[in-house]
Each structure stands twice: as C-alpha cells, then as structure tokens.
Amino acid sequence: MNEIFASAPGKFVILGEHAVVYGKPAIALAMNRRFYLSVRRDDEFKINGDAVDIRANPHLRYIASRNDMVPVSIHMDSKIPTGSGLGSSAALSVAFSAAMRALNSRSISKEEIAKEAFEAEYFSQGGGSPMDTSASANGYGIALNVHGNEEDRLWDISKNGRSWKISRIDVPSMTFVIGYTGVRAATGPLVEKVRKYKDGNRFASDIIDEIGQITLEGLAAIESNDVVKLGELMTEDHKLLSILGVSSNELNRLVSASVPYSYGAKLTGAGGGGSMVVLTDRPDKVCEAIRSRGGMPFIVKTGVDGVKVSNKNEID
Ligand code: PMV
C-alpha cells in the first residue's frame, strides 16, 4: 500500500508578530524541531491507529476536504510543543498538505503547500497571517512585506483584502535560546484580542506601526550582522507586545531573567504563555536563568530545510 511520509519545521519569530496580521513587516526563522507524519489510504480516517472524526480538527478537515474527503490513516509525531508559539499547528498543516497532495498526485511545490496550509490555518483560527506556514514550508529565514531584491521574492499571498509579500532572507549564524513557559496558549484568541484593541483604540494602531518600523530596523541589523542592535530591538519589541496585551507574567519573568546574559529577549509567536526567544552569546547562562524561573530552555539551530515529502520512510 502506498504510504507518503512528510515533515515540516517549527519556527520562531525574531520581530513583527501580531503586526504582520495587519500587513506589517515580520521576520521568522525555521528551526530544528519538526512535525513528522505519514498518510495512507484506509476505510476511515484514523490518527495513530484510532478511528477519528476528522471534522473535529479544523486543520486536518480543511486539507482533507481539498482531497475529496477520501479517508486516510495518519501517523503523526511532533517534536514541537503544542500551543508553544513555535508554529506547531502550521507545521502540522504544512506536512499534512504535502503528504495529501503527494498521495493524490497534486503539485508539491512549496508555494502551493504554503498557500493551502495558510488557508487551513485561517479556516481554523478565523484570522492570522501566512507567516508561520510560509516559514515552515520554505524553511531557513523569511521576511514578510519588506522591500528586497526581486530574486529573493518567494510568493505573495492575499486574503480578505490583505496581502503579504514573502521573501527569503539570509541570516548570519547567531545563537538563539527558546524558553518555553509550559503554559499553552491558542493563537486565535490572542489575534482576536489584538484586533478588538486595535478596532477600539487609535493608540493600539500606533503600537502596531511602531512594531513594523522596529522590524525594518531589525532586518537592516541582520543584514549588517549587528547583534547588539538586533538584540535591543527585540527587547523593545517585547515592551510593545506587552502594551498590546499579549505578554504574561511567566513570559515577562523569563525575559527579565535572560536580559542580563543576552543582547535581547522577547516573547515569540502569539504570546499569552507559549515561548520567548533570546539572542545571546552565553547560551548556557541563559538556559540556567530560564530554568531557575521555571521555564524550559533549549538552544535552537536555524538554517534548516522546509517541508520534505517522500514515499520512503527516510524523512528527517
Ligand atoms: O503562536 P504562533 O506560532 O501560532 O504564531 C502566531 C503569530 C501571529 O503573528 C500572532 C499570528 C499570525 O498568524 O501571524
């Protein structure tokens, strides 16, 4: 029986989350924690051997519906903590889209997969940007809505009157530590919280504009390999995200504990719990500081491949 294997990486956001939902710039890097899955045709939908109602999972349901709802048995194994702000649901959508497209002899171009996975995310969350799904599909580093060289442009995505230009970026070797608070936080309600704040308050729109501005400065710092400047901007961004109401006591504790040993630190992803990211050249010190405040640290490797798909079980 034909079985298809796929994997897709998680990501972290260096700068620009939440503001990117409104078409502002953002920078995200794929990281060495992946979502693995396989699919093969079956009499009914199954996940890891158990029969399931696929409609209960909006990401899977959306992608299955693009493949005529033909039932499949799915095996999945994620190395990305769920609800951690590290793009686990985007990686699931990307890997599932890739595997289903391959099984049904549809195109498995990264662009097609990124677009279908974004639609699945949007359907599930009721909003959001194509940042996570594009970072996971392409891998390496991506920037959204920045003016760069035409040859670096990967693809454009539009939805409900908003559009995003997605480009690849080169990121010099830098050391990042992720600190997971252990508190799960769903992305949808946090995106909705910011939307409500923005709709009722001009000040929130100014903060979103400022995050966009900081992100452009951050991209220039990356291009000139200026870790000091990039770190300062990350810490500044954390303050702005806190004002938008998406930080938490746990996140603030981990950020404060890390700042003395780093160039900068901030929450990453949706916030409300989830994870923070630190730019540092003292990763062991930072890990110790995060652990001492109850967080779970890990040093990430960037520069990793995007989605992979194969008909052999050799996917890493
Ligand atoms: O927490 P994550 O990994 O789902 O990242 C969300 C990033 C946001 O900018 C808050 C939302 C989005 O869709 O871009």
Side-chain angles (χ1 to χ4, degrees):
M1 174 72 87
N2 189 17
E3 186 163 15
I4 304 285
F5 299 84
S7 79
K11 65 91 203 34
F12 62 94
V13 187
I14 302 189
L15 290 166
E17 54 272 89
H18 286 288
V20 69
V21 173
Y22 302 97
K24 303 290 174 197
I27 305 165
L29 301 187
M31 62 178 200
N32 61 333
R33 293 236 168 175
R34 302 180 75 87
F35 201 109
Y36 300 87
L37 65 72
S38 69
V39 296
R40 67 180 158 75
R41 289 199 201 292
D42 207 334
D43 300 336
E44 54 185 339
F45 282 104
K46 289 183 191 149
I47 296 181
N48 292 347
D50 297 326
V52 292
D53 178 1
I54 200 77
R55 287 165 307 185
N57 181 314
H59 299 89
L60 299 182
R61 172 187 167 178
Y62 181 88
I63 291 164
S65 75
R66 289 300 185 90
N67 293 278
D68 299 326
M69 279 292 178
V70 175
V72 286
S73 178
I74 309 164
H75 271 90
M76 46 173 85
D77 176 22
S78 178
K79 305 296 180 208
I80 313 163
T82 318
S84 60
L86 300 172
S88 62
S89 72
L92 161 66
S93 300
V94 166
F96 189 49
S97 166
M100 290 297 272
R101 294 178 76 94
L103 191 69
N104 292 291
S105 308
R106 297 167 65 210
S107 151
I108 50 164
S109 81
K110 288 182 172 173
E111 176 170 357
E112 297 290 335
I113 293 168
K115 288 184 172 171
E116 186 168 85
F118 167 58
E119 291 292 338
E121 287 275 290
Y122 202 93
F123 172 73
S124 164
Q125 285 173 18
S129 81
M131 170 173 60
D132 290 22
T133 39
S134 290
S136 183
N138 186 66
Y140 309 98
I142 63 160
L144 290 89
N145 304 329
V146 300
H147 300 290
N149 297 333
E150 213 34 57
E151 67 264 26
D152 291 331
R153 181 79 70 84
L154 291 167
W155 47 74
D156 293 0
I157 297 185
S158 305
K159 185 82 190 169
N160 285 347
R162 291 200 190 280
S163 56
W164 294 268
K165 299 190 297 269
I166 295 136
S167 311
R168 73 169 69 84
I169 54 165
D170 283 332
V171 178
S173 171
M174 297 179 181
T175 306
F176 293 97
V177 175
I178 298 284
Y180 177 39
T181 58
V183 179
R184 286 186 179 198
T187 305
L190 288 151
V191 169
E192 182 56 16
K193 184 177 182 185
V194 173
R195 190 190 62 73
K196 283 205 182 112
Y197 189 22
K198 183 180 181 297
D199 285 354
N201 196 320
R202 169 88 211 119
F203 177 65
S205 297
D206 292 344
I207 299 289
I208 287 169
D209 287 346
E210 209 173 322
I211 291 176
Q213 199 46 48
I214 280 188
T215 304
L216 290 179
E217 288 175 42
L219 186 61
I222 289 172
E223 280 163 358
S224 56
N225 202 359
D226 187 345
V227 282
V228 174
K229 181 72 187 166
L230 180 60
E232 276 169 22
L233 293 165
M234 287 168 64
T235 307
E236 182 61 27
D237 192 28
H238 180 77
K239 290 181 188 143
L240 297 172
L241 289 163
S242 305
I243 299 171
L244 280 185
V246 296
S247 191
S248 68
N249 291 340
E250 290 86 358
L251 284 165
N252 292 342
R253 259 203 301 277
L254 300 189
V255 167
S256 312
S258 306
V259 162
Y261 311 109
S262 71
Y263 297 111
K266 62 180 275 289
L267 71 84
T268 186
S275 304
M276 44 79 76
V277 60
V278 188
L279 175 59
T280 183
D281 55 12
R282 296 162 79 189
D284 294 335
K285 272 286 192 198
V286 168
C287 287
E288 206 180 296
I290 290 174
R291 217 174 279 120
S292 76
R293 302 296 165 95
M296 287 160 253
F298 56 94
I299 300 170
V300 282
K301 201 171 140 277
T302 58
V304 301
D305 279 341
V307 61
K308 294 184 191 176
V309 54
S310 167
N311 56 7
K312 292 198 190 74
N313 191 3
E314 57 183 19
I315 290 276
D316 59 7

